[in-house]
Amino acid sequence: MQHVLRQILSAIAAPDKTDPINDCPASVLALLPSHPDPLIALAHSKLHTFSFASVPVCWRRLYTYASIAKAVALIEHGLAHPDGCDTAPSGTKRKRDRDAVRGPSSGLSGEAWIDEAVKVLDMAAIMAGAAGRGEVIDELFSGLQSYLKHKAPPQPKRPRAEKVWDSFPVARNIELSKVPKIQYPVQSATAPSMQAFEMHMETAQPLRIEEALDHWPAMHERPWSSPAYLLDKTLGGRRLIPIELGRSYTDDDWGQSIITFKDFMQRYMMPDVADPSKLGYLAQHDLFAQIPSLRNDIAIPDYCYTVPPPLKTPGLTTAGKPPPIQLDGPLLNAWFGPAGTVSPLHTDPYHNILCQVVGKKYIRLYSPNQTNKLYPKGVEDGGVDMSNTSEVDAEAALDELEADFPLFQQAEYVETILVEGECLYIPVGWWHYVRSLSVSFSVSFWWN
């Protein structure tokens, strides 16, 4: 691994002439890779000066390169001193040079250097999108995964009486949740052929697809229903993830945070330790770009490679907005959280196949022709366009709905409870409300 680390540092120290990082001041680049901490701080300030789409590429590259340099230094030091002890005497030139490179993180005890290296790399992926160096970050994570695997002591047999979460308590959660009675079911089909699916798309109606995920490893040999498996795939739960805090992004107490996967599991997913009054949700996150090994557990549904009908087809719309750019391939997002998390009534600019891997979700859908009864929001403070989101809480008390949104009760809808192994096709422009009835792990595939 040392050879790989040296190669990575050499590449960072001498970037290609066409690398956008060269647009940063030469005085800044001169500090790479020897002084990563002040460069991370500088790049972080630049990331918050602009909107994400407007951040000059050089600053995202700098954040990524400096983060990689810091992680490499941490890993080198950790491998050399696995017990956390540093043999460099205090005040020596070697220790001063080391502290200049590694900053206050050197001298971390035990495996804390791994925690810090993982944090630094994940922040580069989350904050700067890895800025063209995703493969390098993945290589470092793979090296850490191998290191942990080979150094881990044999696991003792667990006493039978010991409580171990081998799977999420899905059934228990469902019993405690409010499960709606389905009155207007979504049309369903069992693994339709591509031709049959394309013909259905012409109707511009949702479709529940049964027996669609039987071939996914995430359903069987590499089960996402196993907390132990997910913790292993996230370096013992060390990987950082962005989560939403609260029931729904339309609620006043909604917020966001970045925490470790293990903390997320302990705080929000496990009944013995989680507070049911508090909700955390990994929502609409490209987890598979961040953790490619999880991407190998699923497959893009073949239906995403069909050609959708034109938007002028009755029942399809982008709500008066220009059509989004043509995608090169489906956009994947993960949705992972406890019972009670909600995606409020909203529309998306793409066709969607929502795949249910773990647990159950209640989903209600409204055709675009019902929009005038759904009370879309407008442009909110700060210029944020929320017109794709309804003001209505779809499952609010009847008297509240009648008082505040009298037309809503007249809106026609279809609904379903999506269970493990099923998919739901949601046509572009269709309004949909989603509530988790249990611990739930879903994957959405947007395409056009």
Side-chain angles (χ1 to χ4, degrees), residues 356-368:
Q356 192 68 16
V357 185
V358 178
K360 298 185 178 184
K361 281 183 170 175
Y362 170 69
I363 305 171
R364 187 188 295 184
L365 305 106
Y366 296 81
S367 169

Side-chain angles (χ1 to χ4, degrees), residues 216 224 226 285 360 420 426:
W216 280 19
W224 289 5
S226 166
H285 176 53
K360 298 185 178 184
E420 294 178 4
I426 304 174

Side-chain angles (χ1 to χ4, degrees), residues 6 148 194 266 284 446:
R6 290 290 95 199
L148 288 170
M194 294 282 281
Q266 290 179 332
Q284 197 170 331
W446 285 358

Side-chain angles (χ1 to χ4, degrees), residues 6 19 85 91 101 188 216 254 260 306 368 383 412 439 444:
R6 290 290 95 199
D19 194 318
C85 298
V101 174
S188 64
W216 280 19
W254 180 85
T260 68
T306 55
E412 298 177 355
V439 167
S444 62

Side-chain angles (χ1 to χ4, degrees), residues 98-278:
R98 183 213 65 199
D99 289 344
V101 174
R102 296 176 178 86
S105 298
S106 57
L108 295 170
S109 61
E111 293 184 350
W113 62 271
I114 300 178
D115 299 344
E116 185 67 15
V118 170
K119 176 182 176 181
V120 168
L121 292 172
D122 264 332
M123 288 301 292
I126 294 170
M127 296 295 296
R133 289 297 177 264
E135 291 183 1
V136 173
I137 291 177
D138 293 341
E139 187 174 14
L140 291 172
F141 278 131
S142 295
L144 289 172
Q145 184 87 36
S146 297
Y147 172 80
L148 288 170
K149 183 177 180 179
H150 287 98
K151 77 176 290 293
Q155 295 296 314
K157 290 185 177 180
R158 300 190 299 257
R160 289 189 177 183
E162 185 180 343
K163 188 81 170 182
V164 178
W165 290 110
D166 294 315
S167 61
F168 292 110
V170 171
R172 174 180 164 185
N173 277 193
I174 292 174
E175 291 172 3
L176 298 176
S177 298
K178 177 185 174 184
V179 180
K181 181 180 179 181
I182 303 301
Q183 301 182 68
Y184 310 105
V186 172
Q187 183 180 342
S188 64
T190 301
S193 66
M194 294 282 281
Q195 182 180 10
F197 181 75
E198 284 192 320
M199 291 178 63
H200 176 84
M201 291 181 72
E202 296 291 340
T203 70
Q205 294 289 318
L207 180 69
R208 194 178 92 245
I209 304 172
E210 301 170 351
E211 300 180 13
L213 310 180
D214 292 349
H215 61 293
W216 280 19
M219 303 294 299
H220 305 290
E221 62 266 31
R222 300 197 289 271
W224 289 5
S225 59
S226 166
Y229 176 76
L230 294 176
L231 287 171
D232 178 68
K233 300 300 284 186
T234 55
L235 286 171
R238 292 177 173 87
R239 299 297 302 270
L240 297 182
I241 53 172
I243 65 168
E244 299 180 359
L245 301 175
R247 173 179 171 271
S248 165
Y249 67 74
T250 55
D251 292 351
D252 292 337
D253 61 351
W254 180 85
Q256 295 174 295
S257 183
I258 296 176
I259 64 175
T260 68
F261 194 87
K262 185 176 183 179
D263 283 346
F264 174 68
M265 298 274 276
Q266 290 179 332
R267 294 182 193 178
Y268 305 109
M269 308 299 285
M270 299 303 194
D272 281 2
V273 290
D275 182 348
S277 67
K278 297 180 180 179

Side-chain angles (χ1 to χ4, degrees), residues 301-338:
D302 290 343
Y303 306 122
C304 294
Y305 296 106
T306 55
V307 179
L311 287 175
K312 63 183 180 181
T313 302
L316 299 180
T317 180
T318 55
K321 298 179 182 179
I325 61 172
Q326 187 72 30
L327 298 174
D328 294 329
L331 298 178
L332 282 64
N333 280 300
W335 309 78
F336 183 37

Side-chain angles (χ1 to χ4, degrees), residues 375-433:
Y375 300 88
K377 292 174 177 284
V379 177
E380 298 192 344
D381 294 342
V384 179
D385 185 357
M386 293 288 288
S387 59
N388 74 322
T389 302
S390 171
E391 294 184 16
V392 183
D393 181 347
E395 291 190 287
L398 184 60
D399 55 349
E400 178 183 335
L401 293 174
E402 290 178 343
D404 297 335
F405 308 104
L407 295 178
F408 181 72
Q409 290 300 100
Q410 303 172 22
E412 298 177 355
Y413 64 87
V414 291
E415 58 189 341
T416 190
I417 293 178
L418 199 65
V419 303
E420 294 178 4
E422 294 183 344
C423 300
L424 178 66
Y425 164 59
I426 304 174
V428 61
W430 271 68
W431 294 84
H432 48 289
Y433 166 89

